[in-house]
Amino acid sequence: MNAPLELRVRLPRPGFVLDVDLRLPAAGITAVFGASGSGKTTLLRCVAGLEPAADARIVVAGETWQDAATGRFVPTHRRALGYVFQEASLFDHLDVRGNLAFARKRSAAPTPLEPLLELLGIAGLLDRAPASLSGGERQRVAIARALATGPRLLLLDEPLAALDAARRREILPWLERLRDELRIPMLYVTHSGDEVARLADHLVLLEGGGVRAAGPLAETLARIDDAGVPGEEAGALLHAVVAERDARWQLARVSFDGGSLWLADTGLREGQAVRVRVLARDVSLALRPPEGSSIQNVLPCEVRAVAAGAHPSQSVVQLACGGSLLLSRITARAADALHVQPGARLWAQVKSAALVA
């Protein structure tokens, strides 16, 4: 599937107007993030046809589901989509096998079950009643049921919100597998910055019904115009690979486009793809490589942009390290003393970095 998603929706609602115009990737997870009342769920319902907007154009995989200009509107049951809600909403009178069979009967092109059972680890649950499943198991079955219809688009509306911390940790790896192994786009509504950092490939920030920012995750998080995830500390996300492990010091070196970092080894394997979060507060700057310092991670970089911080005493600096972006939060006085300006070449000292897991 090569065509991107085209979503243009204008829908007046009490207290705000949902007004978005987006072209989104044709694969991977697009996280839709925003405060309560920003329009996240309303957007998903419009895409699903559950809440028709008088002024909308929705195109998925080259197929027009709604177009106000021509009057075309495809009803929900004819849209090739799967929808996963906060609650699993399984049919209690059917076992897991029956829930999956019901979904496949409703589709003209159902997905073979065996790959789904393997992908979501539910082969051993087929004869179980929904009431006997844990919250994480129920949600995995709900995801499998949504995928069993062979959708071109998967909508997930805060699928982990109803789970406790332990169940969220249980299901996150399965969601990562969906992202990495399925070639269908997913719109994932969440209010969790951790879920965004761990799962998303693309990010849409909604505010008051409008799009505050949208773009690839790493680029959007590393913006310095206050476009980061609300409520989360400013920082960058690096896509890296485990290059080597140091058994003596229990460290792992992860490499990325622009350099490498040493992190605590949590049982990683060489060659494993990882995501690394580096907060702006943990990056200091120097004119030359430091000597005799406890900071082990030092990267050559170039200043891309400088902006005022949250307090007049602060500056936020966007840095290019090869093809990757970092943020540094330093005092405005330090920025002046170092002559920090776009194009300046400096050394970034990363005091701390963490795997996103």
Side-chain angles (χ1 to χ4, degrees):
M1 173 175 157
N2 297 316
L5 305 180
E6 182 182 340
L7 307 179
R8 181 178 57 77
V9 177
R10 180 176 171 79
L11 176 65
R13 305 301 295 164
F16 81 107
V17 176
L18 179 65
D19 191 355
V20 303
D21 190 350
L22 297 163
R23 289 178 67 82
L24 302 175
I29 294 178
T30 293
V32 182
F33 188 98
S36 297
S38 62
K40 304 185 301 296
T41 294
T42 302
L43 175 60
L44 253 64
R45 289 177 59 82
C46 288
V47 173
L50 297 172
E51 195 155 351
D55 183 6
R57 176 174 168 78
I58 299 170
V59 180
V60 177
E63 180 180 343
T64 301
W65 288 356
Q66 183 175 354
D67 189 346
T70 63
R72 178 174 174 77
F73 180 83
V74 176
T76 300
H77 69 276
R78 290 181 51 205
R79 300 188 184 195
L81 62 85
Y83 205 131
V84 180
F85 300 89
Q86 290 185 24
E87 299 289 345
S89 302
L90 301 177
F91 295 118
D92 289 332
H93 65 288
L94 299 176
D95 59 15
V96 170
R97 191 190 310 274
N99 271 274
L100 297 177
F102 177 84
R104 297 182 81 244
K105 286 179 183 177
R106 296 178 57 248
S107 173
T111 297
L113 276 185
E114 288 301 322
L116 287 181
L117 301 180
E118 167 64 24
L119 185 62
L120 288 160
I122 60 172
L125 307 178
L126 290 177
D127 297 321
R128 299 266 298 276
S132 72
L133 303 177
S134 70
E137 290 171 337
R138 288 173 62 88
Q139 204 62 315
R140 278 189 280 147
V141 173
I143 294 170
R145 186 176 65 177
L147 291 171
T149 61
R152 294 184 176 180
L153 174 66
L154 183 63
L155 307 175
L156 301 104
D157 190 1
E158 301 199 53
L160 307 186
L163 303 178
D164 60 29
R167 300 290 79 76
R168 285 196 293 272
R169 287 193 298 270
E170 169 195 325
I171 200 170
L172 275 167
W174 302 105
L175 291 173
E176 289 176 318
R177 289 194 67 182
L178 291 182
R179 177 197 66 206
D180 296 339
E181 298 185 26
L182 293 184
R183 296 301 300 169
I184 65 170
M186 291 174 261
L187 293 184
Y188 187 102
V189 164
T190 181
H191 63 272
S192 167
D194 288 341
E195 290 175 31
V196 170
R198 181 162 177 176
L199 297 173
D201 302 294
H202 200 84
L203 177 60
V204 174
L205 296 176
L206 291 186
E207 186 175 279
V211 177
R212 173 180 161 188
L217 179 64
E219 293 179 18
T220 306
L221 290 180
R223 288 173 58 168
I224 60 173
D225 56 357
D226 194 35
V229 173
E232 301 292 317
E233 285 207 55
L237 188 76
L238 302 174
H239 294 276
V241 174
V242 179
E244 63 176 301
R245 302 172 67 189
D246 186 328
R248 178 183 179 188
W249 300 111
Q250 297 295 298
L251 295 171
R253 183 173 65 85
V254 299
S255 63
F256 59 94
D257 185 356
S260 63
L261 298 170
W262 285 99
L263 308 174
D265 188 353
T266 56
L268 304 170
R269 68 178 186 280
E270 290 189 16
Q272 179 179 346
V274 294
R275 296 182 176 205
V276 179
R277 187 85 164 113
V278 182
L279 298 180
R281 70 181 186 191
D282 292 326
V283 180
S284 62
L285 301 177
L287 293 176
R288 58 190 60 87
E291 295 181 1
S293 172
S294 64
I295 298 177
Q296 301 288 294
N297 295 318
V298 181
L299 302 165
C301 57
E302 180 178 317
V303 176
R304 289 274 296 270
V306 185
H311 187 272
S313 66
Q314 297 177 343
S315 290
V316 179
V317 184
Q318 186 188 64
L319 305 162
C321 297
S324 302
L325 295 176
L326 288 178
L327 294 180
S328 173
R329 189 177 69 202
I330 59 177
T331 66
R333 184 169 67 175
D336 181 71
L338 296 174
H339 303 291
V340 176
Q341 58 187 345
R345 294 190 175 277
L346 299 169
W347 293 84
Q349 303 172 107
V350 181
K351 293 176 283 186
S352 178
L355 292 173
V356 177

